[in-house]
Amino acid sequence: MTEPAGPLQAAVMAPALVLGASLAYLLALFAVAWWADRRAAAGRSVIGNAWVYALSMAVYCTAWTYFGSVGRAASGGVWFLPIYLGPTLAMVLAWLVLRKMVRIARTWRITSIADFIASRYGKSRLLAGLVTLIALVGVVPYVALQLKAVASGYALLTGHAPGAGQGAGQGVLAGVDGTLLIALVLAGFTIAFGTRHLDNTERHEGMVAAIAAESVVKLLAFLLVGGFVTWGLFSGPGDLFARALAQPEIARVLRADPARPFAFDQWFALLVLAGLSVLLLPRQFQVMVVENVDERHIRRAAWAFPAYLLLINLFVLPIAVGGLLYFGGAGARAADPETFVLSLPLAAGMP
């Protein structure tokens, strides 16, 4: 195993490089969305493909997949799994329900989860407004969490201590709040390829194509980091977990505590909540129901989306355990477990 460089010796990246790469990536997504919109205008839809539909569902995997799930695995072992097992079971067992939702939405020209639920209860405007309010209250802090994750990731990559009053663009865009800048760029993307359409029945082909392309990038990036940790920092999964089990502090994370019964009720509750979320979260309803162009695509997505979730979670435990070992155990403060996906390559001198 490579010796840890320590938090002070970890490699950092130039702010201009990080911002430049981020901007290039956003421009690439803009290009994909623009190309898809142009194709749609020419009558050659990009999203009329089962693979694009299945990949667009991976919008379920947000920044929490990169940060929160690894952090949860580092403290609770397999307790990150229900968040992904729920949607997997929902797609495998209830894809017929999704097909029915698509048919209802198409028949009644439904374009939001609020409209869908209200239509089931006599098209109640009061109920639709209540659902919209609940979604807004739930989504706003969730979006804020995603923006905070982006800003924290920038701070870690460039060596800026989070919370030190430094915006995400400090050193290049002095005095500009980088998180606000990110929010404005993403809002502009949504306006350009989503809400600018006035026809409620029109699909947002550019947005869906960009989400599908991003899903491929997310998966490849996570697999690359996982492979680097497993075979670059250690000699494979066998060596990694053998070292972990040899250290009592880390082994306690991986093994069930014989003194405490397994919390099956909590596990089941998380499974149910996650299974419902994949059907009812506003963003999931948008890509799975509203943007569906052919209900036959659901058959492909019923196994392709669970397979995606399996692959993107393949290295969650190895990264979590590898970080605990590399930085000195479960009680180490050398690095926040939620940042292991970024801090491990940086500390190993691989920016």
Side-chain angles (χ1 to χ4, degrees):
M1 182 182 76
T2 305
E3 290 299 319
L8 297 178
Q9 287 75 42
V12 294
M13 302 173 70
L17 175 61
V18 177
L19 288 174
S22 302
L23 180 60
Y25 179 57
L26 283 173
L27 289 176
L29 291 181
F30 269 94
V32 169
W34 176 81
W35 170 74
D37 275 347
R38 289 291 300 272
R39 294 263 301 185
R44 295 178 294 171
S45 173
V46 173
I47 69 173
N49 181 288
W51 286 111
V52 174
Y53 177 68
L55 285 170
S56 70
M57 290 184 182
V59 71
Y60 180 83
C61 299
T62 63
W64 197 88
T65 301
Y66 273 77
F67 295 94
S69 58
V70 174
R72 191 173 179 87
S75 61
V78 297
W79 276 93
F80 74 95
L81 281 175
I83 305 300
Y84 302 97
L85 287 177
T88 297
L89 292 175
M91 287 303 300
V92 172
L93 302 178
W95 64 272
L96 290 173
V97 175
L98 176 58
R99 187 174 68 178
K100 186 175 181 180
M101 290 172 67
V102 169
R103 290 176 177 178
I104 292 171
R106 188 169 296 151
T107 300
W108 296 100
R109 301 175 70 179
I110 291 170
T111 58
S112 72
I113 187 63
D115 290 342
F116 182 84
I117 294 177
S119 72
R120 301 292 86 198
Y121 295 92
K123 298 184 178 180
S124 169
R125 293 185 178 181
L126 178 62
L127 180 58
L130 181 62
V131 172
T132 301
L133 180 62
I134 292 172
L136 179 65
V137 170
V139 165
V140 168
Y142 193 82
V143 172
L145 186 66
Q146 309 304 311
L147 294 173
K148 181 181 177 182
V150 174
S152 299
Y154 174 88
L156 181 65
L157 289 171
T158 58
H160 290 143
Q166 294 169 316
Q170 184 112 356
V172 176
L173 299 173
V176 177
D177 186 332
T179 309
L180 175 61
L181 185 61
I182 294 166
L184 291 175
V185 172
L186 295 180
F189 184 91
T190 305
I191 292 170
F193 298 102
T195 56
R196 70 181 174 87
H197 298 306
L198 298 179
D199 183 0
N200 286 337
T201 63
E202 184 177 359
R203 292 184 174 87
H204 310 97
E205 303 229 357
M207 181 186 70
V208 175
I211 290 172
E214 184 195 29
S215 296
V216 175
V217 175
K218 286 189 295 190
L219 178 60
L220 290 177
F222 207 100
L223 291 176
L224 284 171
V225 172
F228 169 73
V229 171
T230 305
W231 287 280
L233 298 183
F234 300 89
S235 300
D239 172 56
L240 175 62
F241 286 105
R243 290 172 181 266
L245 293 174
Q247 297 194 22
E249 280 191 350
I250 303 176
R252 189 171 61 248
V253 174
L254 299 175
R255 291 172 175 160
D257 187 352
R260 297 175 59 186
F262 188 80
F264 287 104
D265 54 341
Q266 296 180 31
W267 186 276
F268 179 74
L270 284 172
L271 279 177
V272 173
L273 285 173
L276 290 174
S277 71
V278 80
L279 296 174
L280 300 178
L281 277 174
R283 69 176 188 275
Q284 296 300 134
F285 186 86
Q286 179 71 35
V287 298
M288 295 171 65
V289 177
V290 178
E291 304 293 348
N292 178 275
V293 297
D294 189 339
E295 67 179 43
R296 291 175 297 179
H297 294 170
I298 297 174
R299 287 182 175 270
R300 173 80 55 81
W303 63 264
F305 178 51
Y308 183 98
L309 293 180
L310 171 65
L311 288 173
I312 205 166
N313 283 282
L314 201 59
F315 288 107
V316 169
L317 264 180
I319 292 173
V321 172
L324 293 176
L325 285 169
Y326 194 86
F327 292 113
R333 291 291 179 265
D336 181 356
E338 292 193 350
T339 67
F340 280 169
V341 171
L342 296 177
S343 60
L344 276 170
L346 287 174
M350 297 288 289

